[in-house]
Amino acid sequence: MKDKTRADDPPLLRRRIIRELNYNGQLYILLLPAILYFLVFCYFPMYGVQIAFKNFNPVLGIRGSKFVGLKHFIRFFNSYQFSVIIKNTLILSLYNIFAGFPIAIVLAIIINQIKGRRLKSFLQTVAFAPHFISIPAMVGIIIIMLAPDTGILYKLISYVIGKDPGVILGNPKVFSSIYVWSGIWQNMGWESIIYTAVLTSINPELYEAADIDGAGKFRKILSIDLPALMPTAITMLILNCGKMLSVGFEKVFLMQNSMNLSASEVISTYVYKVGLAGADFSYSTAINLFNSVINLIVLIAVNHFAKRTSEVSLW
């Protein structure tokens, strides 16, 4: 005789679902907007990925367009711009990771070491405030401060090097530094929040024991703060590596000009130009799909490496 108490029994399963909804219904309602967001903006658009393998014609639609296989991928790999775009994207991404990632940790440690409440609040406000500047406003500040003859930073650089530096934003050699360090200044306070939260959750008894042993501030940082921060730092590093080829579009595009294009053309700006401006939808979709696949491979590889070396990983 069939057992009616099995977990897969429809009436029993239905009762469990109803009981769960009655108990946690409000939590599921709060979760619903996030689920709808990912369904509408992340999963439903995946249907259009097949455009990368077709000669998309808006009149014929996605299904009616001719299938061409890997034609657009091969076209991108053989393009004379492929190596330049990949190089520029990697330079900006790696530069930002190696320069910006440690600064957020250092800032969190400095804030944690400050004992005065007013001074700590002032420093946090000063560090967090730039994050709320919009990207167009941020680029406008950069352009004004580096403007020839009138910019404050332009005059300072001229004084330091003892000669006219020319159009700084038009110099491909310094574009990456301007992009990265302005971004670090703008976001280091915001990115340090999670590390500050970790430091404030450390058991005070550890610091008291270190005081008894005669440890100074530097020794406390090495022996208490950094070990506590390490799991969070590794997790954040994995996430940053997972978007290595996804350099932000808005800031790079607004800072671009004809003189620095050799250093500022990245995947996101190139996709915009060939996809939206040039209406080559299949080609731009293929480039974006290549970008996503590489990011996924890097994420899995870095996560696997972190799991083997530190036993900290996303999964």
Side-chain angles (χ1 to χ4, degrees):
M1 187 174 180
K2 196 171 183 179
D3 186 5
K4 297 295 183 181
T5 63
R6 292 187 311 167
D8 59 347
D9 184 43
L12 179 60
L13 181 62
R14 192 180 304 113
R15 288 195 297 270
R16 287 186 175 181
I17 293 175
I18 294 174
R19 191 185 312 118
E20 177 67 19
L21 291 176
N22 290 333
Y23 186 74
N24 294 318
Q26 293 180 341
L27 297 178
Y28 286 116
I29 292 175
L30 290 174
L31 186 63
L32 185 60
I35 295 176
L36 291 176
Y37 170 82
F38 282 103
L39 286 176
V40 173
F41 294 103
C42 296
Y43 288 97
F44 288 161
M46 287 184 181
Y47 174 76
V49 169
Q50 57 185 300
I51 295 176
F53 305 95
K54 296 185 175 184
N55 276 334
F56 177 65
N57 187 330
V59 178
L60 299 176
I62 296 178
R63 291 187 177 181
S65 299
K66 181 181 178 182
F67 180 80
V68 294
L70 300 177
K71 172 185 174 181
H72 301 295
F73 295 93
I74 297 173
R75 174 187 167 191
F76 177 55
F77 298 151
N78 292 334
S79 170
Y80 72 93
Q81 292 178 307
F82 174 76
S83 58
V84 175
I85 293 171
I86 297 299
K87 183 189 73 173
N88 293 341
T89 305
L90 287 176
I91 287 175
L92 291 180
S93 182
L94 294 176
Y95 192 170
N96 187 57
I97 291 176
F98 285 112
F101 182 76
I103 289 181
I105 299 175
V106 172
L107 179 61
I109 292 174
I110 292 174
I111 293 175
N112 185 63
Q113 291 294 321
I114 297 175
K115 301 302 180 184
R117 183 174 299 177
R118 290 186 178 180
L119 180 59
K120 179 181 290 189
S121 299
F122 174 76
L123 181 58
Q124 288 177 324
T125 302
V126 171
F128 297 164
H131 174 75
F132 300 99
I133 301 175
S134 66
I135 295 298
M138 184 65 200
V139 175
I141 293 172
I142 295 173
I143 293 174
I144 291 173
M145 297 186 72
L146 294 176
D149 300 327
T150 59
I152 297 175
L153 287 180
Y154 180 88
K155 292 183 178 180
L156 179 61
I157 294 172
S158 300
Y159 176 78
V160 171
I161 65 177
K163 62 179 182 179
D164 184 2
V167 182
I168 297 177
L169 271 178
N171 188 349
K173 295 181 180 179
V174 299
F175 176 84
S176 59
S177 295
I178 297 173
Y179 174 86
V180 170
W181 287 105
S182 61
I184 291 173
W185 172 77
Q186 184 178 13
N187 298 313
M188 64 180 181
W190 182 262
E191 293 174 355
S192 68
I193 290 177
I194 188 171
Y195 302 115
T196 303
V198 173
L199 292 174
T200 55
S201 66
I202 296 176
N203 190 343
E205 294 180 357
L206 295 176
Y207 294 108
E208 295 173 0
D211 289 333
I212 294 173
D213 292 338
K217 287 187 177 181
F218 188 68
R219 174 51 60 183
K220 291 178 185 177
I221 293 173
L222 291 179
S223 302
I224 300 176
D225 293 347
L226 288 180
L229 288 172
M230 197 55 62
T232 303
I234 293 175
T235 302
M236 297 301 296
L237 181 61
I238 294 172
L239 293 175
N240 287 335
C241 291
K243 52 183 180 180
M244 184 172 295
L245 294 184
S246 300
V247 176
F249 163 77
E250 296 91 347
K251 187 177 179 181
V252 176
F253 185 73
L254 291 173
M255 290 176 63
Q256 271 187 358
N257 56 58
S258 58
M259 293 181 288
N260 65 23
L261 199 60
S262 60
S264 62
E265 190 76 286
V266 295
I267 291 178
S268 57
T269 58
Y270 184 67
V271 167
Y272 166 78
K273 292 173 182 177
V274 300
L276 294 180
D280 196 343
F281 302 112
S282 295
Y283 185 49
S284 60
T285 303
I287 299 173
N288 250 339
L289 182 57
F290 163 78
N291 184 18
S292 300
V293 171
I294 295 300
N295 283 337
L296 178 61
I297 293 174
V298 172
L299 176 65
I300 294 174
V302 174
N303 183 77
H304 178 70
F305 178 78
K307 188 174 182 179
R308 293 191 60 181
T309 56
S310 64
E311 298 183 356
V312 177
S313 61
L314 297 179
W315 64 83

